């Protein structure tokens, strides 16, 4: 026994000695969470990485106000939309009460430079880092040259896209082209606008060239549809060149810029067309139906040059295979389970009359001829541009869809499950004093709209059942976001119409006026105008450069209304003050010397600063008295007033509009309601866009983590105790 | 020669019988009787305290027993041992071994395990509060099954500088439970879990390593170490003990809320607050006079309806016994705590069985199997977010005029506007409780410990050397089943009252008026509408080879230890879920209509360590210890894997010096000791040193023609792991401690004092401030932080007897902690209220300085004029209204030179805050007291802290979401709130009178008024009676007859009395926890302890 025990003791000692030497088991431990840079050696891996770039960088119509740093505005009533004619209610850029600050977090200037620092996937420069990681990874990987080009071409496009969005706000930013070490010394100085634009153009050229072999034979194959093409790259290049020619960047109206841009863009149009792009149109355009149906295409859409695709999947609560376009639910009235957007009276008053000319009452675009038709604001829908009816919805207009809204609220009118839906958003008040008070919004909408009503609905980009008989949404009335939540409508960031209007504008700037007008005519033709009245265009456009430019800017405003483009145009052309106001501390090179020193005067455009926007509402006539607060207290219904037939855009409009006008006349009254704010003493306030906003300053939040970056001229530098900014984006 | 000298002694030996008893005359079992100066083995007392020893005629024997003072007396007769209040012979577990308490050189505290036996807590951590100086416990008093967290010596201040504050390391019976196991996307602290799941009756001792003595656990020891040893069998006949507890749990306090009527009036005051608003619809936007009248009689207090007194119970049965060669211990216990609200329930079984076998004189072995099995039921909340406090919060804040249902229609909590303001309004407690929705968790832990010990005592040379091999394995299984249904709530088109605001008839109306199908709109809602099952399994093992050596050479005592430790952990995680279950679902995936998904992940890690320790003492007076540990962990890159953690300590027992014994009579014991060493912290995500990409399935974008293409997958740079730092390595924490233990006046007064200083260096943290945003990503964790922490701990205990039967003790623990931050990711904004270099991490409480309330437009004019204000809380003058608080313009913006400009006319939260409290309560003490008289005893704990201020909870200052569905605490009495002018309803009735002298500002302007300011400041002083136990031990003679050796009953209360309430109208209590969340529970229990 004793011996055995001794052996056990010795055994223990030797086991002890041997076991204690090896630490090889530590090296065998693996990380099972993730994969390594090896992925770039595989097609599927590189493809997954490029998909990541798309997922973070593609624009979306679902953009919320708080995400405007991440996506361009898509036409919503966000702070950008509310800084244009399209929506009332001072967006922060035009708010006279709350000037933007670059030193305080109160009323801070929007931060489109950083926004979030901690999240590489979303941060402005995080997305650029992600793209740079892809570029270096793919370059260093072992894929074939052809595959590498396919992926790199897409990466370069998105890098240019990220920088384009920075440059349009800041003029000049840091150009980061590689994956930097995350430490304090990794500082990249701000480059001038000139260098930034050159960098963007070079990335776009690379992209266009690398994607040429894959996309210039009519675009991608059907399963890759939606990816960017040579045409997408060249279209963005056109937009960038136009930005560089615009007064914001081209204070002296250097004509050589316009000429060079025009030559480039004109010559590259063929390449864009080769990718399968063209102005969307059909052979049976009725009352602007082509203008409507291009937004409800499901397959290849020639209009869609830069596109984000969606599907109509329902959320299954488990995975994220669904990716829905929220626009339809944003704009549809609440009695169809949507939310509804309220158009301002200002833009309604600006839309052209049916002859293509501006209403005579419209006191802007004065270089353009006024229409001979009388515009009566009480019946704004009478005799307007075809696009007007596809952009707005008034009480008494059909706006059909497919789905039963009574499942969501039994008091919603069914209108044959939406198939014959007409919006009857007239309102009544519950007291006479409210009714007469322009500040009071205590009105109730008919057809169970009640308090969730809009005076005039935005209808642009809608999936109209009368246009598209196979809706893009999977109706689900009980969805928390309403029945239209699951729409697969495509979202177009760059439409072919913009490609043409961009060229038209540089043509005009290069004094090639007849080329410019020819392009304008194409846009007008698609809208429904014909050569018989010169597409509603006045004759001197080929001879008067200012009138021609004014016509192009007007056309853009109408064609792209509620597509998030207007604020960029206003800034590009400095239309808040004509560019005439000097920014404190700005060098002489900032002074606008081209266009007679004032773009507004030159264009005949009334500066937006000093104007205000109201809202329209059609309330029941005084004779019907006031109503109650519930769906069944409509004074018109109680007085047994019969509604006239709703206006059907598939039929001849003329007589229908007259009938509706007559019905309005006997039953409704236009009420102009307070749109933009009034002060505490109920006095009107007016838009004020401080000229220093044309180039945004770095917000205090962005400055704090970029200690070495200088502040833009005109803004206080929060890193230097509020000293004046020194960075000049326009430096040569 | 040897035989010759010993033979005569043998010849004169005689057998002497005797008995050893305690102070009460009860027999002491297992006391050791030895003959000093001889090699005789001695003997131990039997079950009746009796012994027989063979000694020479005049020999004396030494009687020793743990917890009693040793005596050397003549054998025979009754030997009465005295309790040793200092427990100097007590053996303290110190990690890889144990030491006599008197010989400790580090700051090692022990938990008085006896004092936690009567407490009815689900987790062991909450029982420890106030019992160990320097150990703080937070949480664990509210929801059943939710555990408290333990912090040792101010480790929670680490989070202030951006280091993840960590709990101490938990070591149970030598097994270091992994503290950071990656499971799915979260990390699990198995040590804290295992510790909390222990049953107190199975715990033999708990030691807390507070200083460099923790360095024996090296890389994970910087936050201190908690060492637990569980009970082992003791020699003697089988002994069975039972303890049972039964009791009730109830809220410490329930927030007082406004009555229906007052809520209605308050609502009107808020809605009509702005005198410039000319478009307020007085009929629809305000409660009308008839409605307010009816509201006087409405009291749908749903919290009161659903809150119930909960019950808790615990049963434990332990069996132990042993012979000379085999000892065994087995225990089984059951704990249950009912929730007070709905389906909350927690119960747990614990088991433990161990056997020690003496295979031969030199070879022993041990095998212990232990584990627990817990079940926790929670409500499933997926409506309007997943905040688990929603059940309590929304019941508490629901205005009392809203019933749960009208007729047979459960209603959605729409307020005056009759529209949805927030998804929380769709949370219907009764519907969700009764729909069968559940979240059920089952957790099982199994630990097996085996060890073999070999003693070289037979060898002359190797004598003193012992080898030990232990292997511990733990398996943790965790499973959560969830079911969320869909349900229907209704809104009413027309409601009662002249303004259409009530759900119940006003005078003159009847239910029939509006209760008909057409008046109700159905809302189809989902509480997730899914089924899911989550399973986790973690396997860990730890293997130790230890060689230890201890031998006396005359007065020199030398001991040494060397150990190799290897451990590996792997975890697997699997979750499966499916959407849209059938109404008749069996809760399995075979009754789902929608899609199904499965996710599974795995993680693994490993560690290797070498531990060495040498102790030397001379004459029990001079004590030295040196130890070193070397650790390797797979968390770090191979070249940074290894870390070395040395520590040294020394002690001097002054009272052992002859001159001391001679000259200092008033002091019985004095020891001074000091330690210094290095410990580490590895609180960082593993694998940060590799660039990795993650697959995000279905989160890509859609490609392809048509509208039926799923969004594809993408490979993304994980945002929390976006930057690589190959250089990350351990935190370093240098710990210095100096202490003294003393006792006075015949050991009645004992004092322990410790002072410490810690140098935290190379602390792991992420830096954000200094990396330019153009880099595109924050840094990976870097070893950046530097902080010094220091403090002292003082414990005083007075223990005495009055007369023969009355014994009492009072102990006070107090101390002070402070720190200084030397490096971190410094904030660069608003430096005047940020942590700055060289200052403590607790910057105190900052807020606006309130100098009154605007009571008229003239006040506003005057204020703007007087102080040249241009912007007030982001508003121009014309937006400021009477009823807002006035804050002082304290300073302007920071200037280039770093100073702040003079007041600049802009009042905002950025630059105008002042210090409202220098720091959270810096002072405090805990008093533990007890007394015994005959069989009766009482013990308790009283705590106090003071010196700081706090603010009223923000949820009480502004409605959570919207006032439309959120009731306010009672101090918002509408009579106390500012109202600019009389408010009339739609029919012209005066419903609220103007009140321009009110105490409180108008809630309508909560965005201005609810910001932190001196207006809402209250004292944060606290004085509470935490615990009290009254017990009675039935005299042995009464119970012996029925076969019971010892019977004791006790009544215990926890979270008992709060002596100071600073809240207005005492609407809640500081003891109750966070306003708006499940309150802390007061528990009353009756316990029985029986030993057979």
């Amino acid at each position: 026994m004793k011996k055995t025990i001794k052996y056990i003791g010795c055994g223990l000692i030797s086991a002890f000695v041997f076991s204690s030497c090896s630490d090889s088991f530590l090296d065998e431990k693996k990380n099972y969470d993730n994969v390594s840079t090896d992925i770039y050696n595989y097609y599927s891996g590189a493809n997954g990485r490029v998909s990541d770039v798309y997922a973070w960088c593609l624009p979306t119509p679902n953009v919320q106000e708080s995400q405007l740093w991440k996506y361009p505005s898509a036409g919503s009533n966000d702070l950008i939309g509310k800084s244009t004619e399209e929506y009332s209610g001072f967006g922060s850029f035009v708010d006279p009460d709350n000037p933007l600050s670059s030193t305080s977090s109160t009323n801070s200037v929007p931060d489109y430079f950083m926004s979030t620092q901690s999240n590489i996937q979303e941060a402005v420069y995080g997305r650029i880092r992600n793209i740079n990681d892809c570029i270096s990874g793919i370059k260093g990987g072992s894929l074939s040259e052809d595959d590498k080009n396919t992926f790199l071409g897409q990466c370069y496009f998105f890098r240019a896209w990220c920088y384009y969005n920075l440059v349009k706000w800041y003029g000049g930013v840091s150009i980061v082209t590689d994956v930097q070490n995350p430490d304090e010394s990794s500082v990249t100085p701000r480059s001038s606008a000139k260098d930034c634009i050159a960098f963007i153009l070079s990335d776009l050229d690379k992209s266009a060239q690398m994607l040429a072999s894959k996309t210039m034979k009519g675009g991608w194959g059907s399963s890759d549809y939606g990816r960017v093409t040579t045409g997408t790259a060249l279209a963005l290049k056109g937009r960038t060149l136009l930005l560089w020619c615009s007064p914001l960047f081209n204070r002296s109206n250097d004509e050589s810029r316009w000429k060079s841009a025009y030559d480039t863009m004109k010559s590259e149009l063929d390449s864009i067309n080769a990718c399968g792009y063209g102005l969307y149109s059909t052979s049976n355009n009725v009352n602007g139906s082509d203008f409507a149906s291009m937004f409800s295409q499901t397959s290849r859409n020639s209009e869609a040059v830069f596109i984000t695709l969606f599907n109509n999947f329902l959320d299954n609560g488990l995975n994220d295979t669904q990716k829905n376009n929220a626009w339809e639910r944003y704009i549809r009235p609440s009695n169809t389970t949507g939310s509804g957007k309220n158009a301002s009276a200002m833009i309604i008053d600006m839309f052209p009359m049916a002859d293509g000319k501006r209403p005579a009452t419209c006191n802007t675009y004065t270089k353009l001829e006024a229409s001979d038709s009388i515009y009566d604001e009480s019946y704004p829908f009478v005799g307007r541009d075809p696009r007007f009816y596809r952009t707005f919805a008034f009480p008494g207009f059909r706006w059909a869809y497919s789905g039963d809204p009574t499942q969501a609220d039994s008091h919603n009118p069914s209108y044959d499950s939406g198939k014959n839906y007409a919006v009857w958003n007239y309102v009544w008040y519950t007291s006479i004093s409210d009714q007469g008070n322009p500040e009071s919004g205590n009105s109730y909408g008919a057809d169970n709209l009640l308090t969730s009503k809009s005076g005039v609905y935005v209808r642009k980009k809608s999936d109209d059942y009368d246009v598209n008989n196979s809706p893009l949404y999977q109706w689900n009335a009980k969805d928390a976001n309403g029945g239209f939540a699951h729409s697969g409508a495509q979202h177009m960031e760059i439409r072919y119409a913009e490609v043409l209007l961009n060229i038209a504008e540089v043509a005009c700037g290069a004094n090639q006026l007849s080329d410019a007008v020819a392009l304008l005519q194409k846009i007008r033709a698609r809208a429904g105008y014909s050569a018989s009245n010169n597409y509603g265009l006045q004759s001197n456009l080929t001879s008067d450069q200012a009138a021609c430019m004014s016509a192009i800017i007007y056309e853009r405003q109408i064609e792209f209304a509620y597509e998030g483009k207007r604020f960029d145009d206003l800034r590009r052309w400095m239309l808040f003050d004509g560019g005439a106001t000097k920014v404190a501390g700005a060098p002489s090179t900032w002074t606008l010397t081209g266009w007679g020193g004032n773009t507004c005067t030159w264009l005949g455009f009334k500066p937006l600063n000093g104007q205000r926007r109201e809202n329209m509402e059609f309330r029941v006539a005084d004779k019907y008295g006031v109503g109650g607060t519930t769906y069944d207290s409509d004074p018109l219904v109680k007085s047994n007033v019969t509604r006239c037939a709703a206006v059907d855009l598939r039929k001849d409009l003329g007589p229908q509009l007259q009938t509706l006008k007559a019905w309005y006349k006997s039953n409704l009254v236009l009420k102009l309601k307070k749109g933009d704010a009034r002060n505490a003493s109920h006095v009107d306030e007016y838009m004020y866009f401080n000229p220093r906003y044309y180039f945004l300053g770095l917000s205090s939040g962005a400055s704090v983590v970029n200690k070495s970056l200088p502040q833009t001229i005109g803004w206080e530098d929060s890193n230097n105790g509020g000293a004046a900014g020194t960075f000049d984006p326009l430096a040569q | 020669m040897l035989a010759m000298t010993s033979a005569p002694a043998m010849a004169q030996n005689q057998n002497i019988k005797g008995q050893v008893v305690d102070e009460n005359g009860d027999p002491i079992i297992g006391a050791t009787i030895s003959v000093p100066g001889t090699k005789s083995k001695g003997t131990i007392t039997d079950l009746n305290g009796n012994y027989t020893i063979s000694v020479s005629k005049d020999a004396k024997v030494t009687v020793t027993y743990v917890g009693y003072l040793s005596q050397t007396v003549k054998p025979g007769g009754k030997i009465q041992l005295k309790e040793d209040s200092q427990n100097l012979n007590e053996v303290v577990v110190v990690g890889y071994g144990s030491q006599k308490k008197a010989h400790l050189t580090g700051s090692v505290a022990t938990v008085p395990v006896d004092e936690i036996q009567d407490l009815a807590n689900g987790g062991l951590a909450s029982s420890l509060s106030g019992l160990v100086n320097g150990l703080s416990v937070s949480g664990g008093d509210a929801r059943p099954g939710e555990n408290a967290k333990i912090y040792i010596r101010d480790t929670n201040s680490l989070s202030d500088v951006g280091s993840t504050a960590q709990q101490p390391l938990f070591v149970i019976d030598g097994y270091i439970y992994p503290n950071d196991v990656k499971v799915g996307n979260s990390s699990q602290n198995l040590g804290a879990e295992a510790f909390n799941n222990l049953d107190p009756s199975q715990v033999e001792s708990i030691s807390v390593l507070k200083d460099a003595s923790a360095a024996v656990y090296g890389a994970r020891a910087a936050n201190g170490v908690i060492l637990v040893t569980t009970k082992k069998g003791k020699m003697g006949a089988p002994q069975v003990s039972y303890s049972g507890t039964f009791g009730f749990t109830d809220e410490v306090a329930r927030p007082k809320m406004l009555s229906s009527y007052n809520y209605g009036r308050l609502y009107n005051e808020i809605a009509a607050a702005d005198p410039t608003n000319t478009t307020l619809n007085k009929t629809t936007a305000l409660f009308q006079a008839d409605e307010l009248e009816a509201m006087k009689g409405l009291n749908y207090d749903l919290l009161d309806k659903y809150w119930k007194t909960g019950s808790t119970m615990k049963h434990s049965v332990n069996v132990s016994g042993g012979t000379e060669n085999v000892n065994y211990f087995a225990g089984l216990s059951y704990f249950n705590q009912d929730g007070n609200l709905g389906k909350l329930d927690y119960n747990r079984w614990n088991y433990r069985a161990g056997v020690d076998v003496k295979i031969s004189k030199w070879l022993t072995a041990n095998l212990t199997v232990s584990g627990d099995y817990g079940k926790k039921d929670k409500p499933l909340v997926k409506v309007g977010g997943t905040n688990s406090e929603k059940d309590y919060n929304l019941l508490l804040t629901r205005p009392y005029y809203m019933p749960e249902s009208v007729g047979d229609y459960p209603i959605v909590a729409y307020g005056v506007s009759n529209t949805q303001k927030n998804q929380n309004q769709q949370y219907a407690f009764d519907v969700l409780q009764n729909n069968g929705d559940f979240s059920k968790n089952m957790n099982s832990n199994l630990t097996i410990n085996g060890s073999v010990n070999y003693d070289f005592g037979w060898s002359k040379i190797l004598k003193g050397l012992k080898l030990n091999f232990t292997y511990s394995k733990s398996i943790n299984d965790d499973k959560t089943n969830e079911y969320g249904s869909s349900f229907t709530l209704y809104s009413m088109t027309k409601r009662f009252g002249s303004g259409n605001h009530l759900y119940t008839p006003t005078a003159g109306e009847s239910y029939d008026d509006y209760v008909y199908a057409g008046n109700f709109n159905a809302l189809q809602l989902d509480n997730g509408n899914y089924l899911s099952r989550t399973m986790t399994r973690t396997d860990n093992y730890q293997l130790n080879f230890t060689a230890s050596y201890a031998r006396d050479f005359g007065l020199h005592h030398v001991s040494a230890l060397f150990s190799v430790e290897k451990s590996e952990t792997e975890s697997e995680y699997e979750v499966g879920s499916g959407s849209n279950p059938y109404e008749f679902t069996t809760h399995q995936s075979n009754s789902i209509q929608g899609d199904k998904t499965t996710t599974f992940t795995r993680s693994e890690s490993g560690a290797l360590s070498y531990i060495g320790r040498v102790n030397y003492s001379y004459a029990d007076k001079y004590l030295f210890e040196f130890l070193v540990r070397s650790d390797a962990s797979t968390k770090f890159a191979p070249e940074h894997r290894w870390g070395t953690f040395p520590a040294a300590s020394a002690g001097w027992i002054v009272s052992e010096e002859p001159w001391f014994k001679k000259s200092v009579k008033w002091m019985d014991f004095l020891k001074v000791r000091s330690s210094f060493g290095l410990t580490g912290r590895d609180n960082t995500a593993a694998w940060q040193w590799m660039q990795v990409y993650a697959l995000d399935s279905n989160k890509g974008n859609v490609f392809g023609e048509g509208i039926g293409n799923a969004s594809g997958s993408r490979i993304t740079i994980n945002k929390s792991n976006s930057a690589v730092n190959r250089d990350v390595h351990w935190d370093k924490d240098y710990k210095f401690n100096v202490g003294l233990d003393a006792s006075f006046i015949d050991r009645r007064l004992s004092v322990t004092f410790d002072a410490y200083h810690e140098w935290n260096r190379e602390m792991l943290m992420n830096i954000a401030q200094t990396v330019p945003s153009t880099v595109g990503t924050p840094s990976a964790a870097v070893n950046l932080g530097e902080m010094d922490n220091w403090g002292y701990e003082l414990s005083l205990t007075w223990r005495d007897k009055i007369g023969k039967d009355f014994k009492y003790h009072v102990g006070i623990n107090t101390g002070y902690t402070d720190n200084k931050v030397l490096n971190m990711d410094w904030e660069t904004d608003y430096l005047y209220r940020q942590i700055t270099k060289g200052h403590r991490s607790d910057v105190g409480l900052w807020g606006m300085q309130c100098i009154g309330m605007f009571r008229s437009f003239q006040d506003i004019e005057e204020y703007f004029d007087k102080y040249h204000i241009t912007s007030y809380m982001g508003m121009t003058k014309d937006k400021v209204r009477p009823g807002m608080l006035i804050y002082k313009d304290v300073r302007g913006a920071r200037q280039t030179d770093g100073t702040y400009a003079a007041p600049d006319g802009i009042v905002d939260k950025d630059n105008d805050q002042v210090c409202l409290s220098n720091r959270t309560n810096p002072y405090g003490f805990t008093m533990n007291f007890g007394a015994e008289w005959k069989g009766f005893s009482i013990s308790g704990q009283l705590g106090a802290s003071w010196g700081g201020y706090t603010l009223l909870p923000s949820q009480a200052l502004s409605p959570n979401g919207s006032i439309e569905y959120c009731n306010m605490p009672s101090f918002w009495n509408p009579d106390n709130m500012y109202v600019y002018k009389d408010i009339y309803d739609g029919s012209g009735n005066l419903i609220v009178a103007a009140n321009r002298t009110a105490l409180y500002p108008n809630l309508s302007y909560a965005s201005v008024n609810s910001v932190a300011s001196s207006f809402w400041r209250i004292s944060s002083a606290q004085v509470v009676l935490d615990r009290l136990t009254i017990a009675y031990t039935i005299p042995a003679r009464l119970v012996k007859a029925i076969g019971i050796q010892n019977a004791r009953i006790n009544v215990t209360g926890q979270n008992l009395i709060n002596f100071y309430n600073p809240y207005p109208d005492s609407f809640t209590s500081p003891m109750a926890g966070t306003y708006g969340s499940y309150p802390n529970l007061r528990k009353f229990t009756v316990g029985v302890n029986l030993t057979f």
Side-chain angles (χ1 to χ4, degrees), chain A residues 51-77:
Chain A
S51 291
D52 191 42
V53 171
Y54 273 91
W56 294 115
C57 297
L58 277 180
T60 171
N62 307 349
V63 56
Q64 305 294 310
E65 183 156 285
S66 59
Q67 298 171 316
L68 285 168
W69 53 273
K70 191 170 157 190
Y71 306 112
S73 173
S76 272
N77 48 337

Side-chain angles (χ1 to χ4, degrees), chain B residues 934-995:
Chain B
K934 297 201 168 165
F936 292 97
S937 71
I938 183 167
S939 64
Q941 187 182 87
L942 189 98
S945 64
W946 65 91
Y949 292 91
T950 184
L951 295 174
L952 290 188
S954 61
Q955 262 208 59
L957 300 183
S958 114
N960 187 11
S962 160
I963 187 71
E964 284 215 8
Y965 67 95
C966 182
N967 199 3
M968 298 302 291
S970 61
F971 73 93
W972 283 108
N973 186 323
D975 295 329
N976 289 336
M977 191 169 86
Y978 182 90
V979 180
Y980 182 78
K981 60 175 185 186
D982 292 348
I983 301 168
Y984 296 90
D985 72 0
S987 324
N989 301 307
L990 177 68
I991 43 177
V992 182
N995 182 2

Side-chain angles (χ1 to χ4, degrees), chain A residues 20 27 29 33 316 318 442, chain B residues 182 279 568 595 610 641:
Chain A
S20 56
D27 295 321
K29 293 285 171 281
D33 285 343
N316 61 13
L318 293 175
N442 293 331
Chain B
K182 192 166 187 296
T279 63
E568 287 181 89
D595 297 338
Y610 299 96
R641 225 168 236 174

